[in-house]
Amino acid sequence: MHAELRIDGLQLSYWDSDQRHPVMLLVHGFALDQRMWEPQIAAFDSEWRVVAPDLRGFGESDGGPPGPLTLSQHADDLAALLDHLGISEPVVYVGLSMGGYTGFEFWRRHRGHVRAMVLADTKATLDDAERRAYREVMAREAEAEGSSAPALRAMWPSLCSSSLPLDSAVPVRLREIMEAQSARAIADGQRGMALRQDSVPLLPTIDVPTLVVVGEDDVLTPPAESRLMAERLPHATLVEIPGAGHMSNMEAPDAFNGALREWLGRQ
Ligand code: MLT
């Protein structure tokens, strides 16, 4: 079911299957919202309590005061959501791309909430100067145009594997979700990501089981980034999904869910 909670006077929206099962927290990527997890909600909802928020500023959630939507704020919101739901047991944290960046912050700030982690199509390294500059360019364009169109132009064509036609179901669904994001989410979301910390030194401290998943054709956070994470994480399993790009969970849901299910079964 969809529900809302209020934090600091803001309304944050989330999906909660509200079952008496172990908890899986699904955290979406940039310019998207919890709807990107539809294939995982459908697959895991009967065995897991699946909680999938719209991060502050994205989807149906309010953005709060102007300024960068930082990953530390997202992490604190997630902890507040778990508290609100009365979930004190550690959860399986699943984050894709920006959801992975948020996962590193969640580990820094709230590691007692984490029993295992899935880092999908993400990276621990910092942006180079060119990437940081590009984030500010997109932020200003979004503000000038008052929409998410700059994110669509720059990112949408490369979100999925180039082998997937852009008029097929997954890219079309992604376009729909991205079009629904506000200019604020794009501008201050990019500024928040530009401020993130280097998480490479954090990797050896993540002493819970981790599943690192990446689409072999991911051009936004390429497989080399996942290999680097898997090398430095103490308890990592690395899965590379053939034929999938950055949105591996949507593009190859059977392979993604199968890898997740198999790994969960070993925890
Ligand atoms: C995402 O999918 O969340 C973004 O590609 C992350 C980023 O811009 O670094």
Side-chain angles (χ1 to χ4, degrees):
M1 62 172 191
H2 287 279
E4 275 104 34
L5 84 154
R6 293 195 80 81
I7 302 178
D8 308 335
L10 304 183
Q11 187 164 291
L12 299 187
S13 176
Y14 59 94
W15 167 268
D16 177 14
S17 58
D18 199 14
Q19 314 271 359
R20 292 187 155 273
H21 292 312
V23 179
M24 187 186 283
L25 180 63
L26 303 178
V27 184
H28 64 79
F30 174 70
L32 297 169
D33 58 39
Q34 56 85 16
R35 289 175 291 171
M36 64 157 274
W37 296 114
E38 281 156 357
Q40 285 64 50
I41 292 174
F44 290 99
D45 218 26
S46 57
E47 303 147 70
W48 287 79
R49 178 173 186 178
V50 180
V51 178
D54 285 347
L55 293 172
R56 184 182 285 233
F58 295 86
E60 310 264 295
S61 290
D62 293 341
L69 292 162
T70 63
L71 304 166
S72 49
Q73 180 67 65
H74 291 322
D76 289 353
D77 288 345
L78 294 175
L81 171 59
L82 295 177
D83 289 348
H84 168 80
L85 295 174
I87 295 171
S88 53
E89 64 172 90
V91 306
V92 175
Y93 182 104
V94 183
L96 185 136
S97 199
M98 185 181 76
Y101 308 161
T102 301
F104 294 132
E105 235 19 80
F106 196 65
W107 180 259
R108 280 192 183 91
R109 301 163 79 86
H110 304 288
R111 68 184 62 177
H113 274 302
V114 184
R115 92 172 214 218
M117 259 190 148
V118 181
L119 296 166
D121 297 277
T122 191
K123 61 183 181 187
T125 53
L126 276 182
D127 294 334
D128 57 21
E130 193 186 334
R131 180 92 181 159
R132 252 199 311 278
Y134 150 87
R135 292 191 190 283
E136 185 55 31
V137 170
M138 191 194 288
R140 289 183 189 185
E141 284 177 3
E143 285 170 339
E145 294 176 40
S147 80
S148 62
L152 271 146
R153 284 198 302 271
M155 293 174 61
W156 176 74
S158 25
L159 280 177
C160 296
S161 168
S162 57
S163 63
L164 199 61
L166 286 173
D167 60 356
S168 57
V170 170
V172 167
R173 181 65 173 142
L174 281 164
R175 171 176 271 281
E176 200 170 84
I177 299 173
M178 288 179 89
E179 276 171 349
Q181 305 307 315
S182 65
R184 168 81 204 287
I186 304 309
D188 284 338
Q190 284 289 24
R191 291 181 178 126
M193 288 193 288
L195 290 175
R196 74 187 193 281
Q197 297 186 51
D198 182 2
S199 292
V200 175
L202 187 75
L203 295 171
T205 75
I206 303 181
D207 55 0
V208 292
T210 45
L211 174 64
V212 179
V213 193
V214 65
E216 271 182 5
D217 302 340
D218 184 343
V219 291
L220 296 179
T221 49
E225 295 282 354
S226 286
R227 291 179 204 134
L228 180 143
M229 290 191 289
E231 271 163 28
R232 296 182 192 211
L233 287 160
H235 307 292
T237 301
L238 174 65
V239 175
E240 300 188 28
I241 300 185
H246 189 57
M247 301 306 301
S248 61
N249 74 304
M250 294 175 75
E251 296 173 64
D254 291 347
F256 187 100
N257 294 344
L260 184 48
R261 197 180 296 284
E262 198 269 327
W263 173 79
L264 287 167
R266 287 191 275 118
Q267 305 316 317

